[in-house]
Amino acid sequence: MPEGDTVLQTAKRLHTALGDQVLTRSDLRVPRFATADLTGRTVLDTVSRGKHLLTRIEGGLTLHSHLRMDGTWRIYVPGERWRGGPAHQIRAILSTADRTAVGYRLPVLELLRTVDEEKAVGHLGPDLLGPDWNPDTALGNLLAAPTRPLGEALLDQRNLAGIGNVYKSELCFLSRATPWLPVGDLPATTAVHLVTTAKQLLEANRDRPVRTTTGSRARGYGPSERLWVYGRTHRPCLRCGAPIRAAEQDTRPTYWCPRCQSGPTP
């Protein structure tokens, strides 16, 4: 599942390719909007909100998309071969004179009035990479259900927007708590630090082509050492050397160090 930093980078690519340009082709391959024609309209901008993408178009329209697990937007120049997947997986095509944006496997694609954007994203908590970020609100949201497992609370976009499965595992490790620890069992200072660290991690990776959470420890290490625990099953913990463990939490793979992190486990 793409994280908030990945979605922000996608928004920037879409804005660079399409922003302030007139559409010469639009093709929305979802039944509800298959007849919508945006050609001749200028793309104003594309922004991210949590894991949602909002492409605003002249005439008070917004194309709302969400990548979920494996959706993607690819950018091509004229004559370039499209390589994002087979044609039947294409859900959207937006072209200008110089670029074409192709949306593959988009599970959410809808055309809204721009004034109605809040109907699509108004349920989200504070965006870790957005202008609405408020650490106090995010912390209050997380602690509102004290018996909820920490990992589940972090993934709930209504609490704070932008954390996916990678950052969930990494933040639990950095908080020295297992993802199954009830949120209310976190020490108060740890909970505050957790929210601050989440912001710092996403900010640090917002412009990086390759995500890392280990900071200076990643220098000189291979790809498997750029993250503390995510995807490192059976490899030694970078802090204590114990083998990293993995299990499912709410159908998603979750990683933790059995020595560094305290709390319940499956």
Side-chain angles (χ1 to χ4, degrees):
M1 177 184 291
E3 318 269 327
D5 51 0
T6 302
V7 178
L8 177 67
Q9 291 172 17
T10 300
K12 289 181 177 179
R13 288 195 297 271
L14 286 170
H15 180 70
T16 299
L18 305 177
D20 298 321
Q21 302 295 314
V22 176
L23 291 174
T24 58
R25 178 184 179 186
S26 77
D27 185 359
L28 306 182
R29 299 182 180 181
V30 292
R32 185 179 174 189
F33 302 104
T35 60
D37 186 4
L38 303 174
T39 56
R41 297 177 186 254
T42 299
V43 177
L44 305 178
D45 63 3
T46 297
V47 299
S48 63
R49 177 78 184 276
K51 299 181 185 181
H52 298 252
L53 289 161
L54 302 170
T55 299
R56 294 162 180 154
I57 300 165
E58 179 186 16
L61 296 174
T62 294
L63 186 64
H64 167 227
S65 59
H66 195 297
L67 307 180
R68 288 199 180 156
M69 293 301 293
D70 59 354
T72 185
W73 280 96
R74 299 290 184 90
I75 308 298
Y76 303 104
V77 298
E80 184 179 0
R81 182 170 173 262
W82 296 1
R83 301 178 302 277
H88 73 266
Q89 294 182 348
I90 295 174
R91 296 294 176 264
I93 301 171
L94 299 176
S95 295
T96 69
D98 301 317
R99 296 288 188 275
T100 293
V102 183
Y104 291 90
R105 300 173 297 279
L106 300 175
V108 175
L109 186 70
E110 60 178 344
L111 196 60
L112 309 168
R113 294 191 306 164
T114 300
V115 296
D116 292 333
E117 285 180 1
E118 285 301 295
K119 293 181 179 180
V121 297
H123 66 287
L124 298 175
D127 185 348
L128 284 151
L129 294 177
D132 67 318
W133 172 245
N134 186 311
D136 294 332
T137 300
L139 180 60
N141 291 344
L142 282 172
L143 298 177
T147 61
R148 192 174 191 187
L150 175 59
E152 291 182 15
L154 287 171
L155 283 182
D156 190 337
Q157 303 300 295
R158 297 169 298 181
N159 290 334
L160 66 172
I163 293 176
N165 210 35
V166 176
Y167 283 120
K168 176 196 81 171
S169 293
E170 297 295 286
L171 285 165
C172 289
F173 174 81
L174 292 169
S175 298
R176 295 184 175 270
T178 68
W180 294 271
L181 182 76
V183 174
D185 289 354
L186 283 174
T189 54
T190 300
V192 172
H193 187 257
L194 170 68
V195 171
T196 302
T197 303
K199 172 70 169 175
Q200 291 172 341
L201 287 182
L202 268 75
E203 285 284 0
N205 285 286
R206 63 185 297 160
D207 297 317
R208 286 176 175 164
V210 179
R211 180 184 297 122
T212 179
T213 60
T214 54
S216 60
R217 287 177 177 266
R219 298 172 190 165
Y221 284 20
S224 66
E225 283 79 32
R226 294 191 181 110
L227 302 174
W228 289 105
V229 293
Y230 186 86
R232 303 192 67 249
T233 314
H234 304 312
R235 293 191 176 99
C237 173
L238 297 176
R239 180 180 284 159
C240 75
I244 298 299
R245 296 184 60 187
E248 283 196 357
Q249 183 179 39
D250 194 23
T251 72
R252 296 180 178 92
T254 299
Y255 304 85
W256 79 99
C257 173
R259 186 178 298 165
C260 291
Q261 294 170 255
S262 300
T265 59

